Amino acid sequence: MTQPQHHGRRPGAFADPPQEQLKAAAWVARSLGRGEHAPLHAEDVVALADILRPVPVRPGTVVTAAGAAPSGVWILRSGSAELAVGSGPRQVVVQILHPGDIDGDVQMLLRMPLPYTTRALEAGEFLHLSNADFDRVLQSRPAVARRWLTSISTRLAHSQARLTTLLGGTLIEQAARLLLDEAVDGTVRLPQRTLAAMLGARRPSLNKILKELEQRGTIRLAYRAIEISDAAALRRLAT
């Protein structure tokens, strides 16, 4: 997709950004982390606002492509997007992005190609930071760099914790943990083949487990979605 253009800015200088960009930067600051662990000062928010570029997307828009070099950092501000590997009948969605989720920063920092394709599921907006701008703000703004490090560390810890919990227990326990982890507003919108792949299980085996959970009244199977009916009972199964 067409990359955002940067105009009228001297290298190394931070401009006085419009109010809408300041609002977007403040929103990003909240998304990256809160509290005393990574404080942001007003000038840091201005620095972020100067380099953030809004990129509207429509359903089906490919934001980044698997195997390509990262073009920068993408922060989903509104809508939703999927991270998918493979193509055709072998394509698997490995994660759904929601507002506040960040994509591409780890690959950009490690200078590695993107392992998946990011595709918009609905109309929305990303905030984009080019590779050069991302490097520049991290080097010139220690508070932003620290907050970004906190964000990456939190995401890594979450991934490790989920992997650890999914490795132990019976399939029904693992399925319960995964459903609780992937639910947004009480609904899991990942296809069953994706859930099976995330569990390392065969789809018929997972389907049998899901039907058992539905019979217990903990979930309800709907079209392209799994609704959690009794979260407390599902948590008891997951422990």
Side-chain angles (χ1 to χ4, degrees):
M1 64 184 295
T2 303
Q3 300 298 327
Q5 299 297 314
H6 297 222
H7 300 293
R9 175 155 38 84
R10 304 190 312 275
F14 291 109
D16 185 13
Q19 187 66 24
E20 283 304 310
Q21 285 180 255
L22 283 172
K23 289 180 181 179
W27 178 85
V28 169
R30 291 193 298 271
S31 298
L32 289 175
R34 298 172 182 267
E36 298 178 355
H37 295 291
L40 279 186
H41 301 295
E43 58 268 28
D44 298 315
V45 174
V46 172
L48 276 178
D50 183 40
I51 60 178
L52 287 170
R53 292 295 178 266
V55 181
V57 293
R58 294 178 294 181
T61 299
V62 173
V63 182
T64 62
S71 61
V73 179
W74 299 85
I75 307 165
L76 186 60
R77 190 179 189 189
S78 63
S80 62
E82 64 179 13
L83 307 183
V85 295
S87 59
R90 295 190 174 183
Q91 178 177 290
V92 175
V93 177
V94 296
Q95 185 180 343
I96 301 295
L97 297 182
H98 302 283
D101 286 339
I102 304 168
D103 184 28
D105 54 344
V106 173
Q107 290 79 22
M108 182 263 170
L109 289 168
L110 297 178
R111 301 295 191 267
M112 61 183 292
L114 295 161
Y116 45 70
T117 293
T118 303
R119 183 181 293 104
L121 293 175
E122 56 186 324
E125 182 181 80
F126 276 88
L127 298 173
H128 179 260
L129 290 80
S130 71
N131 292 338
D133 279 337
F134 187 54
D135 273 336
R136 185 166 64 95
V137 78
L138 291 186
Q139 292 176 17
S140 62
R141 300 288 173 176
V144 176
R146 184 181 177 189
R147 178 161 294 216
W148 219 291
L149 177 61
T150 300
S151 171
I152 291 177
S153 301
T154 300
R155 282 177 274 153
L156 177 59
H158 176 76
S159 297
Q160 289 177 333
R162 186 165 80 169
L163 180 60
T164 301
T165 58
L166 289 179
L167 287 176
T170 63
L171 183 56
I172 193 170
E173 292 170 343
Q174 294 178 33
R177 293 170 191 154
L178 183 60
L179 292 174
L180 289 168
D181 196 44
E182 291 296 331
V184 177
D185 296 329
T187 301
V188 178
R189 301 193 181 279
L190 291 174
Q192 291 187 25
R193 66 188 182 93
T194 297
L195 294 172
M198 294 172 77
L199 290 170
R202 295 174 59 86
R203 184 173 175 179
S205 300
L206 175 63
N207 187 259
K208 181 179 178 181
I209 292 296
L210 293 177
K211 288 182 178 178
E212 181 179 342
L213 290 174
E214 187 174 41
Q215 290 173 355
R216 295 188 183 194
T218 57
I219 65 171
R220 189 179 76 85
L221 300 177
Y223 177 68
R224 300 180 66 87
I226 300 172
E227 299 173 2
I228 296 179
S229 307
D230 191 339
L234 205 57
R235 289 191 193 95
R236 288 194 293 270
L237 280 174
T239 56

